[in-house]
Amino acid sequence: MTVVVFDTEARGRLAALADALIPAGHGMPSASEAGVAGEWLDAVLTAEPGFAGPLAAVLEHADVADPEGALERIKTTDPGGWGALTTVVAGAYFLNPDIARRVGYPGRRAIPIDADAEPDWAQDGLLDSVKARGPVYRPTP
């Protein structure tokens, strides 16, 4: 397996593209201000190293003099690269604990299942009309 190293130039390109995807606004920092091209990129790639190669390929050819134009080109000509870029940027952004706190995301949590409790899908009344209708089927010959 080849290890991909993101040098300062690649991280700068990522920061420019990431800021075009997630600009600062409404009291929230931009992607680069949230560390998307720094420690949180490293955290994403540690969790899922498979993103490193596709992301490196996108960054190698991205013209960050026009980040919005570069994003449009990636989106229309490189669907795999677009998927890698947007997944990594969003993932890195929300891995930042400050961002997660600001949007009220507690992170992944284990929620124990009580085998004796009524299933959650049966508690909200969503299936009441189906139950009231009764069985609908055609008997087999």
Side-chain angles (χ1 to χ4, degrees):
M1 179 167 103
T2 304
V3 175
V4 178
V5 177
F6 289 89
D7 61 15
T8 304
E9 182 181 342
R11 288 174 186 267
R13 287 172 178 259
L14 177 60
L17 294 174
D19 281 350
L21 287 169
I22 305 176
H26 304 284
M28 297 294 290
S30 70
S32 66
E33 292 170 336
V36 162
E39 71 177 296
W40 304 115
L41 168 63
D42 298 337
V44 168
L45 297 178
T46 297
E48 185 48 68
F51 284 120
L55 180 63
V58 166
L59 296 177
E60 182 180 351
H61 302 292
D63 176 11
V64 295
D66 175 19
E68 289 81 9
L71 289 176
E72 187 59 34
R73 184 197 60 76
I74 295 164
K75 183 178 180 181
T76 58
T77 64
D78 184 4
W82 175 255
L85 174 66
T86 55
T87 300
V88 167
V89 168
Y93 191 74
F94 289 108
L95 272 178
N96 180 322
D98 181 51
I99 301 300
R101 181 188 54 74
R102 288 181 187 211
V103 298
Y105 176 60
R108 293 178 59 176
R109 307 177 279 139
I111 301 173
I113 296 174
D114 181 357
D116 298 325
E118 183 180 31
D120 60 350
W121 50 264
Q123 295 174 7
D124 61 6
L126 184 64
L127 298 178
D128 291 347
S129 65
V130 176
K131 290 180 195 174
R133 179 192 69 207
V136 176
Y137 62 90
R138 281 191 239 169
T140 56

